[in-house]
Amino acid sequence: MAKATVCLTYDFDAVSTWLWSYDSWDEPTRHSRGVFGAEVGAPRLLDLHDKYDVPATWFIPGHTIDSFPEISGEVWDRGYDIQHHGWSHTGPATFESEEDERADVERALDCIVDLTGRKPTGYRSPAWDFSAHTLDILEDIGIEWDSSKMASDFHPHWAYGGWSAPEDDAYDRGEPTDIVELPVSWQRDDWPAFTFTWARPHRMGYVSEDSIFQRWYDQFDWMYENVDGGTFILTMHPQVIGQAHRLMRLEALIQHMQTKPDVEFKLMDEVASDFRENN
Ligand SMILES: [Zn+2]
């Protein structure tokens, strides 16, 4: 086992995130931020990963695949993995019914199969949260691992289902399922710190790049020194990290990680398979 594993992941939301997440469809300047991700950010990231021969897992909503098929296909053709991120980038808990959620998940599945010729094995919730039906839906379509939860920082674990959070009694986490969880964190995500919007939600942005990247260096370095066999999972968005002043810092971070002995960059799918084999 490598001393440390790194998974660089991209949520290629493109325009989808400016539609359903903000309940707004006719704001072309917002749309253009997603277009930047598809036309400028994504190609730059592919070139960066090619340059350093570093694998990457791309979570691509079906809406992005349908809207930007060429660059979505290029992600796959250049050897990077594509996994499930919903069709419309709608938070699972905000669908009006289980049927609506299931239809969105199945539509996204079809998009990925059409693009890649194979079914996705992994899922990342667009809201990093689940409805009461999400796990069942994922199991029904053959998803083997998820990357939406935060119960651990550097270790994969089994995803739990059947939780209970009553107002007048103790919390019950539920029981482990057969789905592997590859944990995420808002601390290892580029969106909240860097993405300014006038509207709720996420009216933030303008955090110093140096402070956020320092956080990522610190987390990786601490894991490297203190956690045996830890996995560092970083979530980024082409329209955010693909800006020049961030891309240069991401390149330096990759170089930093590559200078450490016994660090392995892997696809999320490989990490999930390794965990399943050993547990
Ligand atoms: Zn997303």
Side-chain angles (χ1 to χ4, degrees), residues 71-215:
I71 186 65
S72 298
E74 203 178 321
V75 170
W76 181 254
D77 291 341
R78 288 168 71 165
Y80 301 100
D81 200 15
I82 293 178
Q83 297 291 352
H84 199 301
H85 197 40
W87 188 86
S88 61
H89 204 266
T90 299
T94 62
F95 285 105
E96 290 192 358
S97 68
E98 179 180 353
E99 288 67 34
D100 287 355
E101 182 181 355
R102 191 176 288 274
D104 188 272
V105 167
E106 290 178 350
R107 186 176 180 185
L109 178 82
D110 291 343
C111 287
I112 293 176
V113 171
D114 287 347
L115 186 73
T116 68
R118 72 101 176 83
K119 289 173 83 171
T121 51
Y123 173 83
R124 176 174 280 165
S125 159
W128 279 3
D129 216 339
F130 282 4
S131 76
H133 314 293
T134 307
L135 272 171
D136 288 342
I137 294 170
L138 297 183
E139 284 176 343
D140 288 347
I141 66 163
I143 289 292
E144 298 169 9
W145 56 269
D146 169 64
S147 181
S148 312
K149 303 283 180 55
M150 308 181 187
S152 178
D153 45 10
F154 304 125
H155 286 299
H157 55 87
W158 297 111
Y160 277 60
W163 60 85
S164 165
E167 288 186 21
D168 59 352
D169 207 347
Y171 173 68
D172 181 350
R173 188 183 181 188
E175 298 293 330
T177 66
D178 195 40
I179 289 180
V180 177
E181 184 63 44
L182 304 180
V184 290
S185 171
W186 291 116
Q187 307 302 322
R188 292 184 298 282
D189 184 320
D190 61 353
W191 188 280
F194 294 146
T195 304
F196 172 78
T197 68
W198 286 109
R200 289 173 183 278
H202 318 313
R203 191 174 177 175
M204 300 180 219
Y206 292 121
V207 175
S208 159
E209 273 71 18
D210 287 336
S211 75
I212 298 303
F213 271 87
Q214 188 60 53
R215 179 189 296 168

Side-chain angles (χ1 to χ4, degrees), residues 200-270:
R200 289 173 183 278
H202 318 313
R203 191 174 177 175
M204 300 180 219
Y206 292 121
V207 175
S208 159
E209 273 71 18
D210 287 336
S211 75
I212 298 303
F213 271 87
Q214 188 60 53
R215 179 189 296 168
W216 295 347
Y217 278 86
D218 289 349
Q219 288 216 359
F220 172 77
D221 288 347
W222 190 90
M223 182 192 86
Y224 186 83
E225 294 299 331
N226 296 284
V227 179
D228 194 26
T231 300
F232 180 90
I233 299 170
L234 191 57
T235 298
M236 297 170 285
H237 300 74
Q239 61 190 283
V240 180
I241 205 75
Q243 308 270 348
H245 56 302
R246 296 172 188 145
L247 208 61
M248 61 191 283
R249 286 173 170 82
L250 177 60
E251 182 166 4
L253 179 62
I254 290 171
Q255 290 170 345
H256 171 75
M257 291 165 163
Q258 286 189 329
T259 62
K260 300 263 192 188
D262 223 3
V263 172
E264 198 170 355
F265 290 81
K266 284 189 171 183
L267 295 178
M268 300 277 273
D269 194 49
E270 292 176 77

